[in-house]
Amino acid sequence: MKHLITLENMSVEWWERLYKRCRDIIANPSDYAHEMDGRVMASLFYEPSSRTSFSFQAAMMRLGGKVMGFSDPNTSSAAKGETLADTIRVFTTFSDVAVIRASVAGTAEEVARWSHCPIINAGDGGHTHPTQTLADLTTISMYRGKIGGIHIGLCGDLRNGRTVHSLIHALSKFPDIKFTMISPAGLALPSESETYLRSRGIEYGISESLEDVLPELDILYMTRVQKERFADRAEFERYKGVYLLTKDKLALARKDALIMHPLPRADEISPDVDSDPRAVYFDQVFYGMYIRMSLLIELLTPEF
Ligand code: CP
């Protein structure tokens, strides 16, 4: 059974097949309108979501499939004390694929053991978020024509930002990638991610200043300080608003730079940046649905 739990072992060939199909779906949506006829997707969200949850639902429905599940586990028998293992056994009995988001790192990997169908990790705590990364890779590919040969700045809460951890896994597979980690020391990248980069011989720098590095970047990937991951409210308040990209600051960036953000944003990109052609964060939302369509086909079609 094929699951999508992490991109740590993603191959470039797998990515290229997914991306090629994604482009074809965008160009010829009617060719794919019945691809998932008769299939059911379980959408199991233990944490709030707008993009991931609804883009997966839209993806399945645009392919002709149907969706069931919950966005609040308290509407399921979890509220009566049913275990996660039993919940997964039940929902995956009814469905052909299950998309799960949870607040605990490693949940998707754990539930795959009990599942009767493919599991897709829609975010596991502060750990990883592979399908956001697929949306990010699609956006980069659409704008730049390829993924290699970039200097990307990852800015904000690198400690808790699961989209950053997955993006590092995926980008490390492509040639000539340079990272600069932009964060206060207290929100620095976890040591596992640094170890991963070093093990692959990937070049990365560290800076606390966005302004210092912005002129050198091909891509600036902004992230939100992840309020929900802080046990200590005072610590969150200390970091909140630590970086703010404004239209004035954007003047420092290259003319062909891309400004990305997995969204939702809190206060790290001011609305006056939105109309700049370099701001592509709503394109990430658009491409996210199509690459998820491609992923559903990949996981549910026996020959792939
Ligand atoms: N980018 C992302 O995961 O957004 P949601 O939390 O709205 O799904």
Side-chain angles (χ1 to χ4, degrees):
M1 201 185 308
K2 292 178 287 186
H3 304 289
L4 181 70
I5 306 299
T6 169
L7 296 176
E8 205 163 332
N9 297 315
M10 178 191 96
S11 74
V12 171
E13 294 70 30
W14 180 84
W15 158 252
E16 284 173 349
R17 188 168 66 233
L18 215 63
Y19 177 60
K20 184 165 179 268
R21 187 186 305 115
C22 173
R23 288 180 65 105
D24 198 49
I25 297 170
I26 294 171
N28 307 293
S30 58
D31 289 357
Y32 294 86
H34 299 287
E35 199 78 25
M36 291 288 132
D37 277 358
R39 304 291 189 105
V40 175
M41 184 185 88
S43 177
L44 310 175
F45 276 68
Y46 288 81
E47 276 196 331
S49 170
S50 295
R51 274 146 295 275
T52 316
S53 168
F54 289 96
S55 71
F56 261 118
Q57 293 190 37
M60 191 57 167
M61 291 190 276
R62 283 170 183 264
L63 293 168
K66 295 203 162 42
V67 180
M68 56 156 200
F70 52 75
S71 52
D72 175 0
N74 285 320
T75 62
S76 79
S77 281
K80 298 179 225 160
E82 187 157 64
T83 63
L84 179 63
D86 287 355
T87 301
I88 294 300
R89 289 184 184 109
V90 170
F91 276 93
T92 62
T93 297
F94 305 144
S95 52
D96 299 288
V97 60
V99 179
I100 182 164
R101 169 172 288 185
S103 58
V104 178
T107 299
E109 186 172 14
E110 188 181 12
V111 304
R113 294 189 287 129
W114 307 312
S115 178
H116 301 296
C117 69
I119 292 287
I120 298 175
N121 180 4
D124 58 332
H127 185 217
T128 58
H129 191 349
T131 69
Q132 177 61 48
T133 294
L134 297 179
D136 301 340
L137 296 183
T138 307
T139 307
I140 295 169
S141 301
M142 289 284 182
Y143 274 96
R144 295 181 57 90
K146 66 182 173 82
I147 296 178
I150 50 174
H151 181 185
I152 181 166
L154 304 173
C155 180
D157 186 353
L158 309 187
R159 182 178 83 192
N160 300 301
R162 56 191 173 196
T163 64
V164 163
H165 308 154
S166 290
L167 190 57
I168 285 171
H169 282 153
L171 285 178
S172 301
K173 307 291 188 296
F174 295 88
D176 194 19
I177 302 287
K178 181 180 172 189
F179 293 95
T180 295
M181 313 302 172
I182 309 156
S183 76
L187 298 181
L189 201 63
S191 56
E192 307 89 84
S193 295
E194 286 205 43
T195 304
Y196 181 81
L197 285 169
R198 279 199 295 271
S199 71
R200 300 185 69 88
I202 310 284
E203 186 182 353
Y204 69 96
I206 293 175
S207 172
E208 290 207 18
S209 163
L210 173 58
E211 289 86 339
D212 282 358
V213 296
L214 188 52
E216 300 164 21
L217 301 176
D218 299 303
I219 298 175
L220 172 63
Y221 193 93
M222 295 293 289
T223 63
R224 173 178 67 91
V225 179
Q226 308 277 301
K227 183 179 180 182
E228 62 276 31
R229 309 284 171 228
F230 285 80
D232 177 359
R233 175 80 193 203
E235 190 193 13
F236 167 72
E237 292 294 334
R238 231 183 9 261
Y239 290 123
K240 190 178 76 162
V242 63
Y243 297 107
L244 171 60
L245 182 66
T246 59
K247 196 180 167 85
D248 288 347
K249 229 174 264 181
L250 194 55
L252 294 169
R254 288 186 181 166
K255 296 271 179 289
D256 61 350
L258 296 180
I259 308 301
M260 301 181 70
H261 192 308
L263 301 178
R265 68 179 142 179
D267 47 13
E268 55 282 341
I269 300 183
S270 77
D272 64 8
V273 173
D274 297 356
S275 57
D276 191 292
R278 291 169 288 185
V280 298
Y281 25 90
F282 289 105
D283 300 86
Q284 290 166 258
V285 178
F286 174 81
Y287 291 127
M289 181 182 72
Y290 289 101
I291 198 70
R292 288 181 174 107
M293 290 171 78
S294 180
L295 176 67
L296 289 168
I297 294 170
E298 181 76 21
L299 294 182
L300 296 184
T301 309
E303 63 260 35
F304 298 125

